[in-house]
């Protein structure tokens, strides 16, 4: 039930922060459980990442039919995807459709930011205060703020002196930006730049990209879905989702069933060529099963990509600058590209390597590095995010005895299952730190199901609160470290997967790298074994507090 206590305090069962993939799914599930819910969203509409990231070329790198929800067969039947990899407007329309179809907007407070969330042990409630002065009290506080929410702005001196315009890709203006006839500087070479640069280059007078670390960019091979393909997806959804739930990265793909270490050089090249042409992440997951765990096999695939770069990019010096050489394939999150490398064959595109000659300042007319100056009318900051933790610690969250989550995580995040935090009873996270690095909708569905089962268990057993034990949190931290160290992923360079893209941020594994399938199994084991690693208080104990 929802209660209004005076003019500015509203009591609900749960407050959910964020109205993207996670927040909408959690809202639906809580309603199914009969809970009253208030969702609080900073943006003026639903969408989360897909509301803010409307920069040129923004699109998913998971195939549309599994970058979606599976909780409703009716939803699957009444939505048609247009492309293999949908662009930002289509993904946003999908989430808007979900919100409208399930009448969700009435429970969402838009254009509102959570300033603080404080737990009161005496009453077993959370008090959530927004920037509009509204106060909510609730039993369950749920963060669904997303992985890539807080844009990272490098501390370049002189930015206020720049006489042109500058933009963050993660906060792109709704009205768009006209690059026609402009000299454009793009700072960054990650997934966002890979998508934006080919589009911006089409109209800019000149585009200069400033690259610190090159990426292994896979070709997307995007295409428009035919009516027959769309119907085929509908009829095969059950199998598609069964595959996605068990796949390492939450994709509807089967294991390759072969190892590069056991193949001849000729067979390696043939299989990798087929994977390259298939497009998307099939190059990694449908070629050889040991690419992520065997350094020699990984190097075979990495050199294959480098040779593709050298074949595509006409200028040998530029090609070599675009070739990653000091970290393995997937050591950084590999982006999907649409004619990315081909863009560097254009006469109006230049590449500047800032790994050895870093940017020193923004000037009135452009950008200065240690060895040169570059004029620009527009600067685009494609510099990534304070990923995973930044959006959570951006709120003033305080648990037992006023403990700040920022302080608790100052040396890196500590969770159990990537969902719960010790000393923060009845707080849950969707896509929280130390949850799987995988196709996010698949991860979210699994986490929501776990939270739903947990709340049902608590209701049936008269339990008032849940939080992980200190031992369980340390065991989970050790577990995620062991998992990443069993792969090549820990050998990345400046990787946001480890927090290394943000100066001063603790180097810590931010994800569960055992795969989405294994993660689901481990979460299910916790349920089946009666929640080992979690401490509950019951209602009778609460009555005595």
């Amino acid at each position: 039930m929802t209660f209004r206590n005076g003019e500015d305090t509203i009591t609900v069962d749960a407050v959910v922060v964020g109205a993207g993939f996670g927040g909408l799914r959690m809202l639906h599930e809580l309603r199914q459980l009969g809970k009253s819910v208030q969702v609080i969203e900073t943006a003026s509409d639903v969408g989360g990442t897909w509301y803010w990231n409307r920069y040129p070329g923004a699109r998913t790198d998971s195939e549309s039919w599994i970058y979606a929800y599976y909780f409703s067969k009716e939803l699957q039947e009444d939505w048609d995807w247009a492309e293999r990899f949908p662009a930002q407007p289509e993904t946003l329309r999908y989430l808007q459709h979900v919100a409208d179809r399930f009448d969700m907007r009435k429970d969402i407070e838009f254009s509102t930011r959570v300033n603080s969330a404080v737990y009161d042990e005496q009453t077993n409630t959370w008090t959530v205060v927004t920037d509009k002065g509204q106060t909510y009290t609730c039993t369950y506080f749920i963060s669904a703020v997303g992985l890539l929410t807080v844009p990272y702005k490098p501390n370049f001196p002189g930015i206020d002196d720049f006489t042109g315009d500058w933009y963050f890709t993660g906060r792109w203006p709704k009205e768009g930006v006209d690059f026609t006839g402009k000299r454009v500087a793009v700072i960054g070479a990650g997934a966002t730049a890979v998508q934006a640069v080919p589009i911006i280059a089409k109209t800019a007078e000149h585009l200069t990209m400033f690259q610190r670390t090159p990426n292994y960019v896979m070709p997307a091979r995007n295409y428009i879905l035919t009516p027959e393909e769309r119907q085929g997806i509908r009829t095969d959804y059950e199998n598609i989702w069964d595959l996605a739930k068990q796949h390492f990265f939450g994709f509807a793909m089967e294991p390759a069933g072969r190892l590069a270490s056991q193949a001849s050089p000729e067979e390696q090249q043939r299989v990798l060529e087929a994977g390259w042409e298939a497009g998307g992440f099939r190059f990694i997951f449908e070629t050889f099963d040991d690419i992520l765990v065997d350094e020699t096999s990984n190097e075979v695939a990495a050199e294959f990509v480098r040779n593709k770069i050298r074949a595509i990019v006409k200028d040998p010096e530029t090609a070599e600058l675009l070739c990653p050489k000091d970290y393995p394939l997937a050591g950084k999150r590999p982006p999907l590209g649409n004619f990315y490398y081909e863009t560097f064959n254009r006469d109006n595109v230049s590449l500047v390597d800032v790994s050895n000659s870093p940017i020193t300042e923004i000037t009135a007319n452009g950008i200065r590095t240690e060895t040169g100056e570059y004029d620009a009318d527009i600067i685009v900051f494609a510099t990534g995010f304070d990923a995973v933790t930044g959006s959570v610690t951006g709120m003033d969250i305080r648990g037992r005895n006023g403990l700040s989550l920022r302080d608790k995580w100052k040396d890196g995040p500590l969770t159990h299952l990537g969902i719960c935090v010790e000393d923060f009873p009845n707080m849950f996270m969707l896509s929280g730190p130390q949850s799987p690095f995988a196709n996010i909708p698949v991860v979210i569905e699994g986490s929501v199901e776990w939270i739903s089962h947990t709340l049902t268990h608590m209701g049936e057993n008269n339990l008032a609160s849940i939080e992980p034990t200190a031992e369980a949190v340390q065991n989970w931290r050790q577990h995620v470290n062991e998992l990443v160290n069993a792969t090549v992923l820990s050998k990345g360079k400046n990787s946001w997967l480890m927090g290394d893209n943000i100066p001063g941020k603790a180097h810590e594994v931010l994800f569960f790298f055992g795969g989405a399938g294994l993660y689901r199994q481990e979460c299910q084991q916790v349920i089946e074994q009666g929640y080992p690693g979690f401490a509950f208080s019951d209602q009778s104990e609460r009555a005595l507090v």
Side-chain angles (χ1 to χ4, degrees):
M1 298 292 291
T2 302
F3 298 97
R4 186 175 292 274
N5 304 326
E7 185 176 341
D8 294 322
T9 301
I10 298 174
T11 297
V12 291
D13 294 321
V15 167
V16 177
V17 187
F21 263 102
L24 297 184
R25 179 65 182 90
M26 194 74 248
L27 170 58
H28 178 79
E29 190 70 19
L30 289 167
R31 283 178 173 180
Q32 298 300 107
L33 295 176
K35 306 292 185 184
S36 57
V37 191
Q38 180 64 60
V39 179
I40 302 173
E41 169 56 53
T42 303
S44 63
D45 200 357
V46 301
T49 293
W50 299 102
Y51 174 93
W52 297 109
N53 286 271
R54 52 182 79 232
Y55 58 84
R59 72 175 60 243
T60 74
D61 54 15
S62 297
E63 289 162 324
S64 57
W65 49 92
I66 48 98
Y67 199 77
Y69 296 116
Y70 64 72
F71 70 87
S72 168
K73 290 184 179 180
E74 293 75 19
L75 177 60
Q76 293 174 353
E77 286 293 326
D78 67 20
W79 181 263
D80 265 332
W81 290 104
E83 297 181 83
R84 180 188 187 186
F85 296 103
Q88 177 268 339
E90 185 178 10
T91 306
L92 181 58
R93 285 195 302 271
Y94 171 74
L95 291 169
Q96 291 168 334
H97 171 75
V98 172
D100 293 335
R101 195 188 197 289
F102 297 100
D103 193 20
M104 292 178 168
R105 295 177 189 274
K106 64 184 181 184
D107 291 325
I108 305 174
E109 185 72 24
F110 291 109
S111 302
T112 303
R113 183 181 298 277
V114 170
N115 283 342
S116 63
V118 179
Y119 178 72
D120 185 331
E121 189 169 6
Q122 297 297 314
T123 61
N124 188 39
T125 58
W126 285 87
T127 298
V128 181
V129 179
T130 74
D131 61 352
K132 291 184 175 179
Q134 181 67 64
T135 298
Y136 298 91
T137 59
C138 59
T139 304
Y140 308 107
F141 177 68
I142 302 171
S143 170
V145 290
L147 300 173
L148 304 175
T149 303
V150 180
Y152 168 55
K153 178 186 176 184
N155 188 26
F156 294 130
I159 184 64
D160 294 332
D161 299 327
F162 182 59
T163 58
D165 299 317
W166 56 271
Y167 305 93
F168 281 112
T169 53
R171 290 294 183 269
W172 205 256
K174 289 184 179 180
E175 63 273 15
V177 179
D178 184 4
F179 294 101
T180 304
K182 303 292 186 180
R183 297 166 300 176
V184 182
V186 177
I187 300 177
T192 298
V194 166
Q195 292 183 330
V197 162
I199 306 301
I200 296 173
K202 293 180 184 298
T203 56
E205 176 186 312
H206 194 90
L207 183 149
T208 305
M209 191 180 87
F210 294 81
Q211 170 189 276
R212 179 178 62 170
T213 308
N215 277 281
Y216 296 93
V217 180
M218 311 285 103
R221 308 292 190 224
N222 188 38
Y223 54 80
I224 301 297
L225 296 172
T226 66
E228 293 78 13
E229 286 170 322
R230 293 198 296 269
Q231 185 55 36
I233 290 167
R234 281 198 187 92
T235 57
D236 197 36
Y237 257 132
E238 185 173 346
N239 179 57
I240 286 171
W241 286 113
D242 283 345
L243 287 173
K245 289 176 189 178
Q246 298 305 317
H247 189 266
F248 190 92
F249 271 81
F251 296 144
M253 301 180 190
E254 297 273 13
R258 56 182 167 240
L259 304 177
S261 59
Q262 297 177 356
S264 67
E266 294 77 18
E267 178 72 359
Q268 290 172 344
Q269 296 302 303
R270 184 190 67 78
V271 170
L272 291 172
E273 185 68 39
W276 182 266
E277 291 304 314
F281 292 118
R282 296 179 185 275
F283 177 81
I284 295 176
F285 297 113
E286 292 189 339
T287 52
F288 297 105
D289 292 333
D290 55 348
I291 287 178
L292 297 183
V293 296
D294 183 272
E295 291 188 22
T296 302
S297 297
N298 186 281
E299 176 57 25
V300 170
E303 184 63 12
F304 179 93
V305 177
R306 295 185 199 109
N307 286 331
K308 285 292 185 182
I309 298 170
R310 293 164 181 142
I312 294 169
V313 180
K314 295 177 181 178
D315 177 63
E317 183 177 346
T318 302
E320 289 307 312
L321 288 176
L322 289 166
C323 286
K325 296 174 182 175
D326 55 358
Y327 70 93
L329 173 65
K332 286 171 64 73
R333 177 195 178 282
L336 297 190
N338 292 280
F339 305 104
Y340 172 68
Y341 291 123
E342 291 84 346
T343 300
F344 292 93
N345 292 329
R346 297 178 63 101
D347 292 336
N348 69 328
V349 175
S350 302
L351 177 66
V352 176
D353 176 22
V354 295
S355 60
N356 295 315
S357 178
I359 295 172
T360 56
E361 65 177 318
I362 307 297
T363 68
N365 298 318
I367 296 173
R368 178 177 293 131
T369 70
E370 287 185 351
T371 57
E373 294 190 26
Y374 304 86
D375 290 342
D377 303 306
I378 297 174
I379 299 175
V380 175
F381 288 94
T383 45
F385 299 86
D386 184 356
V388 189
T389 56
S391 51
V392 184
T393 58
M395 299 178 282
D396 183 13
I397 301 175
R398 296 182 180 271
R400 196 185 304 281
N401 299 319
L403 175 63
S404 166
L405 187 65
R406 293 189 193 117
D407 290 339
K408 190 172 185 69
W409 286 2
K410 67 180 185 299
D411 297 322
L414 297 166
T415 78
H416 189 32
L417 304 180
I419 298 175
C420 297
V421 183
E422 180 201 6
D423 292 322
F424 292 77
N426 289 345
M427 173 179 162
F428 302 94
M429 297 177 295
L430 298 176
S431 300
Q434 301 176 333
S435 64
F437 181 66
N439 180 31
I440 290 301
V442 175
V443 176
I444 285 170
E445 290 274 14
S447 297
V448 167
E449 290 167 5
W450 189 91
I451 294 170
S452 178
H453 190 285
T454 300
L455 296 185
T456 300
H457 171 80
M458 291 173 67
E460 292 174 347
N461 293 276
N462 205 32
L463 301 173
S465 69
I466 178 176
E467 64 180 297
T469 65
E471 181 183 12
V473 167
Q474 291 301 325
N475 288 343
W476 189 253
R477 184 184 193 183
Q478 181 179 347
H479 186 37
V480 297
N481 275 277
E482 289 172 348
L483 287 169
V484 75
N485 289 332
T487 73
V488 300
L489 302 175
S490 62
K491 302 181 185 298
K493 183 179 180 182
N494 301 321
S495 174
W496 60 266
L497 304 180
M498 310 290 173
D500 294 338
N501 65 317
I502 304 296
K505 188 171 181 176
H507 174 84
E508 189 72 26
V509 183
L510 296 180
F511 290 96
F512 175 96
F513 284 108
L518 177 62
Y519 177 78
R520 290 179 72 91
Q521 293 173 24
E522 295 194 11
C523 287
Q524 184 61 31
Q525 286 174 4
V526 169
I527 292 173
E528 293 173 353
Q529 295 172 8
Y531 292 89
F534 286 93
F536 292 91
S537 70
D538 63 32
Q539 298 291 354
S540 60
E541 291 173 346
R542 280 282 150 207
L544 299 174
V545 173

